[in-house]
């Protein structure tokens, strides 16, 4: 038995894209001998509707008892006016914090077949391969105090707190340096040290930790400049390490370098490499239920699961090769469609990946 996988489709397109990823896992178990057990549970708005809680105890227990978690996405218009503690997003944040999934890896890789799908010029993006390492269980997402209160003069005041301990910075720095050792050995740490004391400390701790990694070339960049440089000359980056919120924003921006946010997978890991795997995008309520969402980010997240948590790197490669083969065939969902390619729906794309996998037998 390779492992037990908790399958949490969530809301909106979450269900559609996870179905395709599950097809891929089934194919690997039927045709390639992968031994996995899958169990499904509710999370997000769907869980709130059924139980009054976006992260039911049962789901958290299943996630804890599993070797890896496959998540679709959470959120939607329907739940936007709920109290923030009951919103679908709290389900996702609860999984991340309860399971201590502090290291979020967001590989921003351009399949060469998609060089014309990006809104940027081909020469700017071709050959692009960046790893964004986002801190995931700290920073302003979880800092206290937080909330909105009524002042004596009657107006409201909102507060969130950006807070990092030295050890939180050091442990995400180590993850980034370790990854960089297997790549170009270049790490760019992104902060706002010119304005925010917390990230001034972030910068100092990164530099201190880097002394333990003599082969690593560490640079620092302000978050605003990084946003600009990612669009201007993205290939200057190899590994980027940054805070929870900067990582959230920069990875959405970086996704367009690869053609579409529908292409970007992610892994959220704890200190033992147990992980949750999900696309970088959200539940896309604007296109949910139409069979047009791109399932490749989720399918590529399964490849990351096989590599990082289930120790099956050859299976991961099989999936990545199958995705590449499908792109070679010219099949494209609407978000990555360009003139001369064949537009397919969500389930057709999933079926095409399975067919390409079967051709590898
Ligand atoms: P989004 O990522 O859901 O969508 C942004 C845009 O990208 C939309 O136009 C959408 O149609 C498109 N898009 C996203 N994924 C796509 C795919 N696979 N194929 C084709 N097009 C795709 O972001 P949003 O609209 O800001 O947020 C919608 C909801 O999702 C919110 O409730 C938000 O909180 C939630 N969200 C959840 C996650 C998650 O579960 N990990 C991540 C981001 C946002
Ligand atoms: C992401 C999402 C989440 C985040 C939301 C849905 C809580 O945007 O995974 O990128 O902000 O981390
Ligand atoms: Mn995001």
């Amino acid at each position: 038995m390779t492992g037990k996988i908790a399958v949490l489709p969530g809301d909106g397109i979450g269900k559609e894209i996870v179905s395709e990823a599950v097809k891929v896992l089934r194919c690997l178990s039927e045709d390639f001998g992968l031994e996995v057990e899958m169990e499904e549970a509710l999370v997000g708005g769907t869980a709130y509707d059924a139980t009054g809680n976006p992260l039911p105890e049962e789901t958290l227990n299943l996630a804890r008892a599993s070797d890896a978690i496959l998540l679709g996405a959470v959120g939607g218009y329907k739940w936007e006016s709920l109290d923030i503690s009951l919103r679908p997003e709290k389900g996702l944040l609860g999984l991340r914090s309860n399971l201590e999934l502090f290291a979020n890896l967001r590989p921003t890789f351009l399949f060469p077949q998609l060089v014309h799908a990006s809104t940027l010029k081909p020469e700017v993006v071709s050959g692009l391969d960046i790893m964004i390492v986002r801190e995931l269980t700290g920073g302003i997402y979880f800092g206290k105090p937080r909330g909105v209160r009524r002042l004596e003069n009657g107006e409201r005041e909102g507060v969130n707190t950006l807070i990092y301990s030295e050890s939180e910075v050091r442990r995400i720095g180590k993850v980034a340096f370790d990854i960089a050792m297997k790549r170009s050995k270049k790490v760019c740490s992104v902060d706002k040290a010119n304005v925010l004391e917390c990230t001034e400390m972030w910068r100092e701790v990164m530099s201190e930790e880097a002394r333990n990694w003599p082969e690593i070339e560490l640079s620092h960049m302000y978050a605003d400049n990084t946003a600009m440089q990612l669009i201007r000359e993205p290939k200057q980056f190899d590994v980027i390490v940054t805070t929870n919120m900067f990582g959230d924003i920069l990875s959405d921006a970086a996704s367009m370098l690869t053609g579409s946010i529908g292409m970007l997978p992610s892994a959220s890991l704890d200190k033992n490499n147990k992980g949750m795997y999900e696309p970088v995008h959200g539940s896309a309520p604007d296109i949910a239920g139409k069979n047009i969402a791109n399932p490749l980010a989720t399918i590529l997240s399964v490849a990351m699961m096989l590599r990082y948590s289930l120790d099956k790197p050859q299976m991961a490669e099989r999936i990545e090769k199958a995705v590449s083969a499908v792109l070679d065939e010219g099949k494209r969902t609407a978000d990555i469609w360009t003139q001369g390619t064949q537009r397919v729906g969500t389930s057709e794309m999933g079926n095409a990946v399975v067919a390409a996998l079967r051709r590898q037998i």
Side-chain angles (χ1 to χ4, degrees), residues 140-152:
I140 200 165
Y141 273 53
F142 294 94
K144 287 186 181 135
R146 63 185 300 150
V148 178
R149 62 178 178 179
R150 187 68 68 177
L151 296 178
E152 274 171 19

Side-chain angles (χ1 to χ4, degrees), residues 19-33:
S19 300
E20 302 314 310
V22 166
K23 279 183 195 167
V24 167
L25 276 164
R26 288 224 177 89
C27 170
L28 287 175
S29 64
E30 282 161 20
D31 299 326
F32 296 92

Side-chain angles (χ1 to χ4, degrees), residues 34-289:
L34 178 72
E35 292 178 5
V36 286
E37 190 187 311
M38 288 185 257
E39 191 174 334
E40 203 172 304
L42 298 174
V43 71
T46 319
Y48 172 78
D49 286 349
T51 69
N53 182 352
L55 179 56
E57 198 62 32
E58 210 182 315
T59 302
L60 185 56
N61 288 340
L62 173 68
R64 283 210 168 98
S66 304
D67 300 296
I69 302 144
L70 174 64
L71 186 129
V74 297
Y77 311 131
K78 189 178 166 189
W79 304 285
E80 272 170 11
S81 51
L82 281 176
D83 183 80
I84 205 161
S85 64
L86 296 172
R87 293 220 195 118
E89 291 79 359
K90 272 285 179 228
L92 176 60
L93 295 169
L95 280 165
R96 291 174 181 170
S97 62
N98 277 291
L99 300 175
E100 294 180 65
L101 306 173
F102 68 93
N104 184 211
L105 315 186
R106 298 188 156 188
T108 305
F109 171 79
L110 173 75
F111 280 88
Q113 300 92 323
L114 294 184
V115 72
H116 296 289
S118 175
T119 46
L120 274 83
K121 293 185 192 124
E123 63 269 27
V124 174
V125 293
S126 87
L128 185 95
D129 182 4
I130 301 172
M131 176 64 92
I132 298 178
V133 180
R134 170 190 178 194
E135 199 292 325
L136 202 61
T137 51
I140 200 165
Y141 273 53
F142 294 94
K144 287 186 181 135
R146 63 185 300 150
V148 178
R149 62 178 178 179
R150 187 68 68 177
L151 296 178
E152 274 171 19
N153 69 5
E155 72 164 342
R156 284 164 301 167
E157 183 182 70
V159 60
N160 286 97
T161 303
L162 172 61
I163 181 162
Y164 272 113
S165 67
E166 189 174 335
S167 55
E168 283 177 306
V169 179
R170 208 173 285 281
R171 76 176 172 177
I172 195 69
K174 282 182 179 158
V175 170
F177 296 149
D178 192 40
I179 289 172
M181 285 303 289
K182 294 165 207 140
R183 298 172 53 111
S184 75
K185 303 188 179 169
K186 267 174 54 186
V187 176
C188 179
S189 169
V190 174
D191 60 42
K192 194 69 191 168
N194 50 345
V195 179
L196 304 172
E197 291 87 344
C198 174
T199 70
E200 189 181 23
M201 184 205 77
W202 170 287
R203 185 176 282 219
E204 283 165 16
V205 175
M206 282 294 169
S207 299
E208 286 162 22
E209 183 57 33
R211 287 186 206 124
N212 301 327
W213 304 74
E215 288 178 58
I216 294 285
E217 186 191 317
L218 174 69
S219 60
H220 304 274
M221 198 180 275
Y222 299 134
D224 47 353
N225 185 24
T226 310
M228 186 275 280
Q229 295 293 344
L230 270 172
I231 309 301
R232 191 186 75 90
E233 198 196 338
K235 283 182 272 180
Q236 71 185 280
F237 297 107
D238 190 64
V239 176
I240 290 177
V241 62
T242 190
T243 63
N244 205 339
M245 188 154 77
F246 293 153
D248 179 43
I249 298 167
L250 294 175
S251 56
D252 261 42
S255 75
M256 269 319 293
L257 308 170
T258 73
S260 165
I261 194 162
M263 291 303 298
L264 234 66
S266 86
S268 308
L269 305 174
D270 75 0
K271 63 178 192 306
N272 301 316
N273 279 351
K274 171 171 170 162
M276 181 157 78
Y277 297 83
E278 52 169 322
V280 166
H281 63 72
S283 56
D286 54 332
I287 58 165

